[in-house]
Amino acid sequence: DGVARVIAAALGERLGQQVIVDNKPGASAQIAAQHVARSKPDGYTIFMTTNTSHSANPSLFQHLKYDPIKDFTPITRTGELPFAVAVANHVPVKSLQELIDYAKANPGKVNYGTPNSTSLVAAETIKRMAGIDIVGVPYKSSPQALTDLMGGTIGLYVVDFGSGLATLKTDKVRAIAVTTAKPSKLLPGLAPVARTLPGFDLTSWNGIFGPAGLPPAIVELLDTEIRAVLAMPEVQDKLGHMGFEVSPSGSPKEFAQYVSDQLAHWTGLIRQAGIKAQ
């Protein structure tokens, strides 16, 4: 929502008309996805979403009422929202390896919060790759999971930078790794999970789609204007303070291939982690 509002304000100025953010939360982005998939492909209804709707949901739900590939027209990838592995202060570890060793010495005693698909898949993948016994606790929202991590109700949480960056920079919790393959410039010095568990690479991407059948001329116009917005220093500064890393696609075709690749990547991760579809 925050990223959408920053981009919408600047995009509206460039297009000379108001761009309204219509937040449609619920059902792991399925409500919003279905709404856009059924909308008229005229360029007036577009969809800002993440890997939840287009990469994870096809493997997390048995009956999905939209197709992430066939029902949408990819326009632009806007960037990524990194995640960090964080522990409560009562958990006596300062690195991912120490967490793994502690969890092995205390099987079933470390619990972790899961308010979204990225947190769930990341934690379960770490669990599988490290061979540890940790227990998931579902949450409805990221802020509540973060609050419980600070309070010590849960011991572990893979937290998104969007809701948790400010807290991660304090001593209220202890960040021990980032989920991206490379270190993040937003939390310099924090080692990637892959340094301990080779091959681990997980991030929450963000992008903009239209309904299927969106005319090429409209796709090109929107892609050009959105990428122009993302190149504005003031927009990058605002998004950076929110924990968002701007990383636009080079073209709608490139973004379409990225979406396809990410769907395959997340499908493999979820299957390997043994997560069952609801």
Side-chain angles (χ1 to χ4, degrees), residues 149-227:
L149 183 72
M150 289 188 285
T153 302
I154 54 175
L156 174 66
Y157 173 33
V158 183
V159 54
D160 65 277
F161 281 19
S163 66
L165 184 60
T167 301
L168 291 170
K169 293 181 177 180
T170 70
D171 59 1
K172 295 178 180 179
V173 299
R174 189 180 307 118
I176 59 174
V178 289
T179 63
T180 46
K182 298 179 180 180
S184 170
K185 60 185 179 183
L186 297 175
L187 282 178
L190 203 58
V193 171
R195 196 165 295 175
T196 302
L197 300 173
F200 189 100
D201 181 16
L202 199 65
T203 190
S204 176
W205 59 263
N206 180 299
I208 297 175
F209 298 78
L214 196 62
I218 295 178
V219 175
E220 182 178 356
L221 171 65
L222 289 171
D223 174 56
T224 299
E225 295 301 324
I226 292 167
R227 285 195 288 127

Side-chain angles (χ1 to χ4, degrees), residues 77-248:
R77 184 186 67 225
T78 53
E80 299 177 341
L81 191 64
F83 280 63
V85 181
V87 296
N89 286 327
H90 74 267
V91 180
V93 304
K94 294 183 178 180
S95 68
L96 182 61
Q97 186 58 59
E98 288 185 6
L99 173 66
I100 292 170
D101 294 341
Y102 178 79
K104 286 183 176 180
N106 298 275
K109 293 185 179 180
V110 176
N111 54 5
Y112 64 92
T114 58
N116 54 60
S117 64
T118 305
S119 292
L120 171 64
V121 175
E124 285 293 319
T125 300
I126 291 172
K127 177 180 179 178
R128 175 187 62 82
M129 293 180 72
I132 55 178
D133 179 11
I134 53 179
V135 181
V137 180
Y139 281 84
K140 292 184 178 180
S141 71
S142 298
Q144 184 58 51
L146 186 58
T147 297
D148 279 4
L149 183 72
M150 289 188 285
T153 302
I154 54 175
L156 174 66
Y157 173 33
V158 183
V159 54
D160 65 277
F161 281 19
S163 66
L165 184 60
T167 301
L168 291 170
K169 293 181 177 180
T170 70
D171 59 1
K172 295 178 180 179
V173 299
R174 189 180 307 118
I176 59 174
V178 289
T179 63
T180 46
K182 298 179 180 180
S184 170
K185 60 185 179 183
L186 297 175
L187 282 178
L190 203 58
V193 171
R195 196 165 295 175
T196 302
L197 300 173
F200 189 100
D201 181 16
L202 199 65
T203 190
S204 176
W205 59 263
N206 180 299
I208 297 175
F209 298 78
L214 196 62
I218 295 178
V219 175
E220 182 178 356
L221 171 65
L222 289 171
D223 174 56
T224 299
E225 295 301 324
I226 292 167
R227 285 195 288 127
V229 165
L230 294 172
M232 297 167 63
E234 59 269 33
V235 169
Q236 293 187 4
D237 185 60
K238 288 179 181 178
L239 295 178
H241 279 91
M242 297 167 59
F244 188 82
E245 294 186 351
V246 173
S247 178

Side-chain angles (χ1 to χ4, degrees), residues 24-39 45-50 52-54 57 64-68 71-72 209-212:
K24 291 186 178 296
S28 295
Q30 293 183 65
I31 293 173
Q34 291 175 48
H35 173 78
V36 176
R38 296 167 183 166
S39 297
T45 301
I46 56 178
F47 183 31
M48 173 171 279
T49 188
T50 69
T52 292
S53 63
H54 278 61
N57 280 357
L64 208 59
K65 296 182 180 179
Y66 66 89
D67 186 298
D71 291 342
F72 300 90
F209 298 78

